[in-house]
Amino acid sequence: MSDTLVQNGYTDGDVDTNPTNAVSLETLADTRYSRRQAIFGGAKATSLALMGTTMLAACGDDTIESTLVVSAGQNAATSSGRVVILTGSITAGDTNVTSSAWAQNSGPDVDLVVDGLTAMFIAPAVETATDLTFGFAVQNADGEAASATTTIRVSPAVLGFSAVAHSLEDVVTVPSGYTVTVMTRLGDPLAAGVGAYANDGTDTNFAQRIGDHGDALHFFGLSSAGARDDNSSTRGLMVQNHENLNVDYLHPNGPTNVSTGPRPEDEAKKEIEAHGVSVSEYVDGGDRQWTYVADSSFNRRITPMTPMQIMGPAAGSAMLATAYSANGTAGRGTINNCANGISGWGTNLTCEENWAGYFRRDASDVALRTERELTALARYGVSVRTGNYAWSTVASSDPMFTKWNATITGATATDDYRNEPNQYGWVVEIDPYDPASTPRKRTALGRCGHEGAFVRIAAGQKVGVYMGDDSRREYLYKYVSNATWDAGDANVSNRLAVGDKYLDNGTLYVAKFEADGTGTWLPLVFGSVPNRPAVGTTPAYVFADQADILINCRLAADAVGATPMDRPEWTAGNPVTGEIYLTLTNNNASNRPLDGTDAANPRHYGDPNLSGSTSYGNPNGHIVRLREDGDDTAATTFAWDIYLFGADATDYPSDASVNVSGLTTSNDFSSPDGLYFSRDTNPSGQINPVLWIQTDDGAMTDRTNCMMLAALPGHVADGGAVTITNKDSTGATAQQATIAGTPATAANLRRFLVGPVECEITGIDMTPDGRTLFVGIQHPGERGDATTPTSHWPDSQAGSAAATVRPRSAVVAITKDDGGVIAL
């Protein structure tokens, strides 16, 4: 290091045999102070020392021949991600100090925050125990100078919090030493002049308010000047999906005619606008005191009526032609936005999940459709029905309402919205830094019930996107770009054009898992995909072209023989190993019967409820992980195992066929959903990154609210083969072989958070420095209504709330009281 304080003439670089301890205090003082002071948001080390961090006490160390004697404090030990405070002192001589300085001598470089005799830093990521040495020097009014050193031994990262217990309380519970701050909530204003949210059902204008059912989120950094800054931990844009609605709380007395219609126009408009995506500016006011900026010029709402460009191989297909876009290259809006993906060039990928149920189809439509159309509609669940929330029954010709009626009513496809369902089910790319930009639907990534789209980028490789299709017995997909990643594209100003390069031209694959722990990516390419065979009374489906395969990729995946999974949801990638993790939330007995298990979906058992009933199938879910052969995103084969099996440890403390991972009440969970690895810009995402697991549960919620766990996972094949004995409701049993990861322990998995009543924990990101964690709390009190709300969160977070206060989905910011890295 160029700015190292050298003691006794030794460095581990250039050899220096001059054995002097004479140090220029001016040099030391200038070394790090000015630029490091800003690292901790201007906080003084002395003030941070009062937040529960143990001071390293002075005890006398090195001295020089002078009446002045100083100490740099005792040698000490810590682990990665934790706050260390160095305290210098004068132990003899004239204490009238005119100057003092701290500097680092050796070890991995850290950011020192210096305040007089005190210095502070966060212990860096290390693979093995590593010594860091620091020098402290002073000069007094008599011109005497003295210096001393201290050594801090840093060990690899460990989970540094006590596990949170099960909870049925109406608050977000986190470990001792952490603080929860409620951020943006349902209905909060996103523009100047928009009134505060009354939360009584009378609010309107959700095109300029935070939407409902907040889901996946991401913090996009901003510089102080308002430019993109991926390293900013003090200012940024929170981009959040809005998946669905709590309509009972959205209107004064609940919704009107929600099942059959006709719906009042003002109610339907509010419900439509409360879907989509929000962009809101977040600012740290100092020491991680977060607020949002209600009138920021970056704030934006993207709703089901926002204009969209349709890109990729399916753009221009006759199957996408509508009354709005005769040539099938444009559309309006995005809906049921669930998980997400983050590109390597500063854009957000939002995923359209359970979109099919929003569409109306009258019985008359059946006779007007071809067999091919009926097969495709049935495969995606666009059935004869009124449609979620019956929006098309509004007595208006406004396309905001009529577009949800997929019934054939005109002479051609450009006269009605028969093809409107084909415009949904895509991954949508958004530039959060440009509120005027038009989002783009990326058809090369296929159309399904997209839960997420994890983007993996590695030097010299193709861009890979890993996607779960969130329904029972659906598939895991991977998209691989034709273009090899060019690091120069990371900071191109036209970010959506970079998306054109990597996300519009490539190959879509679907996964087939073999019993021996290997797998194959099957390409969904026209000419190599056979026609989908007849199923029951449904005729065979003959693919017309590549656009047809992408629009109907579920049918294509059926045709090539992909492995149906137990409700594939979020995907996440280990930033160090490149391994991909996939949550399989759960399955029921009809979709995963006793004789219908396989190695990748191996369980059938019963989960008893406190009420006495028992749910059979795979009610607690599991997490699969895979590693590409050659660690190459473009590989067509992979290895896999099951990282963790969900289970209720109270019901199954020792049954190795249900509680396969050996969970205890400190780390048991059910229905894993959200997945996230800590950012690799801080110690929690380096060497052995922390994996965060969020739940969307219905099986254990009689025992505890939904939760989030932190894990230090191993790697594929760190466990071994196991044989599970499954049992159905009749008592019949069957054997199933599978491959399990190493068992869970208190050291590698523990519960970090439990949410409020009836919520789902979904959406997670952190600031680049790892010192603020953002988490989404969705639909608290979802079983209540306007008269009798079953939750009062987030008002209840403060310790009290009126019995009539309606609950709201919201984002929380979680910080560690001592300023350290979250979880470590």
Side-chain angles (χ1 to χ4, degrees):
M1 299 182 295
S2 62
D3 52 359
T4 296
L5 168 65
V6 180
Q7 290 293 323
N8 299 319
Y10 174 77
T11 75
D12 56 2
D14 294 338
V15 174
D16 181 355
T17 59
N18 182 5
T20 181
N21 280 325
V23 181
S24 166
L25 293 174
E26 291 77 16
T27 300
L28 286 174
D30 291 341
T31 297
R32 293 174 180 264
Y33 183 86
S34 59
R35 73 182 181 90
R36 304 300 192 188
Q37 189 69 24
I39 295 298
F40 291 86
K44 298 290 187 181
T46 50
S47 65
L48 288 166
L50 302 177
M51 298 183 184
T53 301
T54 301
M55 298 284 282
L56 301 178
C59 70
D61 195 8
D62 297 340
T63 63
I64 65 174
E65 294 182 0
S66 166
T67 61
L68 184 64
V69 181
V70 300
S71 169
Q74 289 180 321
N75 296 343
T78 189
S79 58
S80 298
R82 297 189 179 176
V83 172
V84 178
I85 295 180
L86 306 172
T87 302
S89 62
I90 302 169
T91 60
D94 185 352
T95 60
N96 185 17
V97 173
T98 58
S99 58
S100 65
W102 280 96
Q104 184 177 359
N105 292 1
S106 67
D109 195 14
V110 300
D111 292 313
L112 279 176
V113 177
V114 179
D115 181 32
L117 304 184
T118 306
M120 170 184 168
F121 67 92
I122 290 181
V126 295
E127 193 164 2
T128 59
T130 303
D131 287 344
L132 285 67
T133 61
F134 299 87
F136 173 64
V138 302
Q139 181 171 300
N140 64 19
D142 296 329
E144 294 179 315
S147 62
T149 62
T150 189
T151 298
I152 307 300
R153 176 160 292 179
V154 179
S155 294
V158 296
L159 297 178
F161 61 91
S162 297
V164 172
H166 294 159
S167 173
L168 294 171
E169 299 299 316
D170 196 27
V171 296
V172 173
T173 304
V174 294
S176 175
Y178 287 82
T179 295
V180 174
T181 300
V182 177
M183 297 297 296
T184 41
R185 303 157 297 176
L186 162 68
D188 279 346
L190 287 176
V194 179
Y197 193 59
N199 196 22
D200 60 4
T202 63
D203 300 281
T204 59
N205 188 19
F206 275 81
Q208 292 183 306
R209 295 184 183 275
I210 295 290
D212 204 355
H213 278 220
D215 207 288
L217 53 82
H218 189 79
F219 178 85
F220 288 86
L222 278 173
S223 70
S224 59
R228 174 187 168 192
D229 181 357
D230 293 344
N231 295 314
S232 174
S233 293
T234 57
R235 184 187 181 195
L237 302 177
M238 181 57 66
V239 179
Q240 186 180 34
N241 291 339
H242 299 290
E243 182 183 10
N244 208 334
L245 306 170
N246 269 13
V247 288
D248 287 308
Y249 299 129
L250 204 60
H251 308 296
N253 300 297
T256 305
N257 301 332
V258 71
S259 298
T260 59
R263 294 299 312 284
E265 182 172 339
D266 59 341
E267 288 187 6
K269 180 180 181 180
K270 181 190 297 189
E271 293 166 8
I272 292 168
E273 290 180 343
H275 283 77
V277 179
S278 66
V279 182
S280 55
E281 182 178 341
Y282 280 23
V283 176
D284 172 11
D287 292 341
R288 292 157 301 285
Q289 300 297 309
W290 289 94
T291 57
Y292 94 102
V293 183
D295 59 352
S296 170
S297 61
F298 289 101
N299 291 353
R300 183 183 188 186
R301 282 286 279 114
I302 296 167
T303 76
M305 290 303 290
T306 301
M308 304 270 161
Q309 287 183 269
I310 298 176
M311 306 293 291
S317 168
M319 298 172 72
L320 295 177
T322 68
Y324 176 73
S325 177
N327 62 7
T329 61
R332 279 175 299 194
T334 183
I335 202 165
N336 207 259
N337 301 84
C338 200
N340 63 352
I342 309 305
S343 76
W345 46 94
T347 60
N348 184 80
L349 304 181
T350 184
C351 299
E352 299 173 337
E353 189 197 21
N354 293 317
W355 47 271
Y358 290 87
F359 289 96
R360 167 184 170 184
R361 279 186 64 220
D362 297 341
S364 61
D365 186 67
V366 175
L368 301 175
R369 298 279 187 172
T370 65
E371 283 190 339
R372 293 182 75 257
E373 287 178 304
L374 292 173
T375 297
L377 289 166
R379 186 64 180 84
Y380 284 94
V382 186
S383 56
V384 172
R385 57 185 294 172
T386 306
N388 296 351
Y389 310 114
W391 292 332
S392 69
T393 66
V394 172
S396 170
S397 59
D398 189 332
M400 173 179 282
F401 312 113
T402 60
K403 66 179 283 187
W404 304 107
N405 187 357
T407 304
I408 294 177
T409 58
T412 69
T414 60
D415 296 318
D416 55 33
Y417 291 99
R418 69 186 71 178
N419 287 335
E420 189 72 9
N422 292 340
Q423 292 217 349
Y424 289 88
W426 304 105
V427 174
V428 184
E429 186 175 18
I430 298 168
D431 183 349
Y433 296 102
D434 182 1
S437 60
T438 301
R440 301 184 182 182
K441 298 201 172 190
R442 301 296 185 186
T443 66
L445 278 62
R447 173 175 164 268
C448 59
H450 281 290
E451 174 75 15
F454 172 75
V455 180
R456 183 185 174 210
I457 291 177
Q461 295 189 20
K462 313 291 187 182
V463 172
V465 185
Y466 297 81
M467 302 166 285
D469 183 355
D470 184 10
S471 288
R472 292 175 176 133
R473 295 190 61 80
E474 292 300 341
Y475 306 113
L476 170 65
Y477 295 89
K478 176 178 76 168
Y479 165 86
V480 179
S481 66
N482 288 344
T484 299
W485 173 246
D486 179 351
D489 288 332
N491 294 299
V492 171
S493 58
N494 189 342
R495 287 171 282 272
L496 292 175
V498 178
D500 296 344
K501 175 180 177 179
Y502 292 107
L503 300 180
D504 285 345
N505 299 283
T507 302
L508 184 65
Y509 297 86
V510 66
K512 183 176 179 61
F513 292 79
E514 303 293 349
D516 62 357
T518 63
T520 305
W521 291 109
L522 307 172
L524 301 181
V525 176
F526 183 68
S528 66
V529 175
N531 295 325
R532 194 253 201 177
V535 178
T537 59
T538 303
Y541 189 89
V542 179
F543 294 100
D545 51 24
Q546 184 62 25
D548 191 359
I549 284 177
L550 294 171
I551 292 169
N552 292 294
C553 69
R554 281 184 177 176
L555 292 172
D558 295 342
V560 298
T563 302
M565 307 295 284
D566 284 352
R567 196 178 163 197
E569 298 219 35
W570 287 49
T571 48
N574 186 315
V576 173
T577 68
E579 292 171 322
I580 302 299
Y581 288 66
L582 167 70
T583 48
L584 298 165
T585 294
N586 53 47
N587 213 331
N588 56 30
S590 61
N591 284 290
R592 189 62 68 191
L594 184 66
D595 62 354
T597 62
D598 57 52
N601 306 273
R603 288 189 300 173
H604 180 104
Y605 61 98
D607 180 81
N609 297 319
L610 296 183
S611 63
S613 62
T614 300
S615 300
Y616 281 86
N618 178 19
N620 300 131
H622 57 288
I623 302 173
V624 166
R625 62 184 168 189
L626 61 89
R627 188 160 193 167
E628 301 279 21
D629 287 352
D631 293 328
D632 187 353
T633 55
T636 56
T637 53
F638 57 87
W640 68 269
D641 68 3
I642 296 179
Y643 163 55
L644 282 175
F645 293 81
D648 186 333
T650 302
D651 290 332
Y652 291 102
S654 58
D655 187 333
S657 289
V658 177
N659 192 356
V660 185
S661 297
L663 305 179
T664 69
T665 55
S666 293
N667 59 17
D668 59 350
F669 65 93
S670 176
S671 297
D673 188 342
L675 272 182
Y676 171 81
F677 274 96
S678 290
R679 293 199 189 204
D680 62 5
T681 49
N682 69 80
S684 67
Q686 299 163 357
I687 310 294
N688 187 17
V690 175
L691 172 64
W692 300 88
I693 303 166
Q694 301 177 313
T695 68
D696 178 15
D697 185 29
M700 276 180 65
T701 48
D702 50 356
R703 194 178 307 285
T704 180
N705 300 335
C706 284
M707 66 185 70
M708 184 171 76
L709 303 95
L712 292 172
H715 53 82
V716 172
D718 60 10
V722 299
T723 299
I724 291 172
T725 300
N726 289 315
K727 181 185 293 186
D728 70 9
S729 60
T730 70
T733 62
Q735 305 291 304
Q736 177 63 62
T738 188
I739 302 166
T742 190
T745 68
N748 62 31
L749 179 70
R750 62 185 70 166
R751 190 176 302 107
F752 180 84
L753 175 153
V754 178
V757 172
E758 297 170 6
C759 79
E760 172 186 349
I761 308 298
T762 182
I764 178 172
D765 193 22
M766 62 172 45
T767 50
D769 63 8
R771 301 169 74 205
T772 300
L773 187 71
F774 300 106
V775 177
I777 309 297
Q778 186 184 110
H779 63 63
E782 67 171 338
R783 297 187 184 94
D785 56 36
T787 304
T788 54
T790 50
S791 168
H792 306 295
W793 193 87
D795 289 57
S796 58
Q797 190 70 32
S800 64
T804 57
V805 172
R806 303 181 185 199
R808 301 160 71 180
S809 296
V811 176
V812 295
I814 301 171
T815 53
K816 199 173 182 181
D817 295 346
D818 70 0
V821 173
I822 305 296
L824 301 185

